[in-house]
Amino acid sequence: MGPRLAIAPPAPSGPRARPRPFAIVLHLALVAGALPGLLALASDNAPERFFPRGAPELAAQRRLEESFGPFDAVRLTAAGPGLWTPEGLAWLRRVEREGQGLPGARAGAGLFRRFRPALGSWPPPDPRAFRELAAADPLSRAAGWVSADGEAVSVLLAVGELGFAERRDLFAGLERLRGLAPAGIESWVTGLPALARALDREVVDFGARYVPLVALLALALLVGCLRSLSQPIPALALAVFSEALLFGAMGYVGSPVTVATALLAPVVLVLSVATGVHLQLRFRQHRQRGLDAERAIGETWRERRWSVLASGATTLVGFGSVAVSPVPAVRAFGLWAALGVALVTTAAFTLLPALLAATSGGAARSTELPFESGLRRLGRWAGELSTRRRGAVFGLFALVLVAAAPGAARLARETGLVGYFRPEHPVRAALAATAERGLPAASVELLIELPRRAGADPEAGLGSPAGLARLARLADALAANPRVRGVLTPALLTDAVAAPPSPTFLRVTRALLLAEDGRRARLVVGVPMLGHPEAGELTRWLEAEAAKAFPGARATAGGRYPLAVAAQATVNRTLLLALGITLVGVSAVFFALLRSGRETVRVLIPNLWPVAVVFGAMGWLGIPLGATSVMVGAIVLGLSVDDTLHFYGHYRRRGREGERSGERAPVVATLEVTAGAQALSSAMLAAGFAVCALSGFVPLAEAGTLMAIGVVAALAADLFLLPALLAGR
């Protein structure tokens, strides 16, 4: 038999246990006050949020926008037998004319504006002959308005920098226009704004669908274990309060939800539930020994206040340390995660006692539930095994590390934005259809800047006949690259090719490509959606070709698409930084709390082991380092600290009492008390993250999978590795 659990209860020194309606009402008022912030919350995954301030990529983008304004492109592409008919061509005209009036659209262009002045009427009387005319037009092919075989056409909308609401309204308008297409036409929308919209929708869908599922799963597990509908309320109310205040604050200050900060919702939820479960199960143990609710709460918080505060401080510092990252999205995650941990810890001392008092009932419960006795036996068994078979435990955990090492060595980087979506996602289907027809899905903007002395001579400027001719030759050289789908230059707009453009069309479009001073020109290079290595190689090649064509000029390949691709590499580079900073922060707090380097190492090892397991699992499962997976190591380290400190806090107290009473197994006695809360909270955490793994959004699904693995590994380390380490003191 394990040591008896009975402890002579002193006068309560923790929070008062009498029901305090005022405390509950105050917290409800805070949640109500957070609602306007929640309603104002928006999603924004703009590439700029993933670059440090002063990054050269941002400086290049600013130069481009200073010359020509913010520019991005959305394409509505269409194909099918109904396209080259009077009805299909009339629909194309409507798309062009109404599309440029949609929110955020600066200009619209396509075959209608290109050929309407020369044809004199629309639709053309002979659609089949017009198809041949359009397919033979260099300008239309270079702009991506028609495929080389004439099978598909697209309408290009130039847009500026779009906010969340503007992007939503723009695509709502495009979907309306798509719905007006005649029979026999298949249409789809591509472009970087389409990807950004899909990212925003996936993030919102994750918060609206999967986070409530995690909460419902936690509720079901608690109801099943506690066999009560009221007793799960305190732990879940702690989560609702913390989530509402955290995301309400984000909405109030205008901090958007990104792919990185979307992880805050499940992380804060499971931290809240885990903290509530640890305290509530210990409260139940005291009630089972005959203590009334007031004394049980006082005793619980007297025993666990060190653990709650230490765990909160360590986790806060761990997550907060990430806030020193130079990447804004990663820094935002660290800051808001630290606030979330602070809210959970504060509410554990203010809201949770009041809720326990309100839901505990009158008479003390003298018997424990089957799951409680089973988990207590699990703790005693794990404690006895880990302390008596320390060598076997160390060997087994070392063997797992050996198995994880090759997986960690196989880690790959996420290379493409398209990889964020599952193969069946509409965005990927649209990109595949676009690539199949040889049309551009995105664009690289090649900015050429002549020295000031060259721009001062009108005959030598880029807008001169000689300058336009050189731009045309450069475009021909660029178009020879098989990855280039077309090059739009000012030279194409000045040539009377198959039909002369209208003066208005010429003036508006040239303004997007040629600065008034004649010293700066922009070439819009149509490309497929490429990953980071390929996109980087292509942009460097474009710059080299431009430098050869214009010696002495500055050539910079930029634009929103290359910026977004480069942002992935920036986020990937934050992996070691985020994990290293978190490790330093957690180690510092451990040392401050334990005042012993040796004890700090003992407690750190079981928290670092799950991180190593997670990185090994990433490699073996083929999960690349991406926007969210790079954060998983820091998150798992932060989560594993919670159970460790709850165990260690009780162990320190039990050890002191054991020395006075002659007990020789404080580790086993501690696990008998704490293993239940550790196992139940870890089961809820792992199940909750596993639910997130069902998401159709790949980054968050991968993060859910990895964090579920990390939680299970952390539980194993707390049940076996930590006791084995402490037993050898």
Side-chain angles (χ1 to χ4, degrees), residues 34 97 101 135 152 161 222 315 343 355 361 392 425 429 435 444 453 500 521 580 625 688:
R97 298 177 70 173
E161 189 172 347
L222 286 174
T315 310
L343 288 170
L355 290 172
H425 195 281
V444 177
R453 62 181 182 275
L625 297 174

Side-chain angles (χ1 to χ4, degrees), residues 696-725:
F697 191 39
V698 174
L700 296 179
E702 291 175 345
T705 300
L706 294 173
M707 286 191 287
I709 292 172
V711 167
V712 173
L715 176 63
D718 283 330
L719 290 181
F720 299 100
L721 183 56
L722 180 60
L725 288 166

Side-chain angles (χ1 to χ4, degrees), residues 265-288:
V267 167
V268 172
L269 175 64
V270 297
L271 272 176
S272 304
V273 172
T275 300
V277 165
H278 274 286
L279 292 169
Q280 188 166 357
L281 289 190
R282 188 56 178 158
F283 166 77
R284 284 174 57 82
Q285 290 170 351
H286 286 304
R287 290 279 282 159
Q288 289 161 8

Side-chain angles (χ1 to χ4, degrees), residues 415-484:
T415 60
L417 296 170
V418 180
Y420 285 175
F421 306 97
R422 296 195 188 278
E424 65 275 11
H425 195 281
V427 164
R428 293 191 69 164
L431 290 172
T434 302
E436 181 183 346
R437 289 165 174 83
L439 291 173
S443 62
V444 177
E445 300 172 55
L446 184 59
L447 176 63
I448 300 174
E449 300 174 272
L450 296 179
R452 292 191 178 277
R453 62 181 182 275
D457 182 3
E459 297 300 321
L462 295 173
S464 67
L468 291 173
R470 294 171 70 188
L471 288 173
R473 289 194 295 272
L474 172 60
D476 290 339
L478 300 181
N481 190 311
R483 291 177 175 172
V484 173

Side-chain angles (χ1 to χ4, degrees), residues 407-415 572 575 615 618-619 622-626 629-630:
R410 293 165 47 127
L411 280 176
R413 295 178 182 272
E414 181 67 70
T415 60
N572 290 343
L575 168 65
F615 285 126
M618 287 176 69
I623 297 177
L625 297 174
S629 58
V630 296

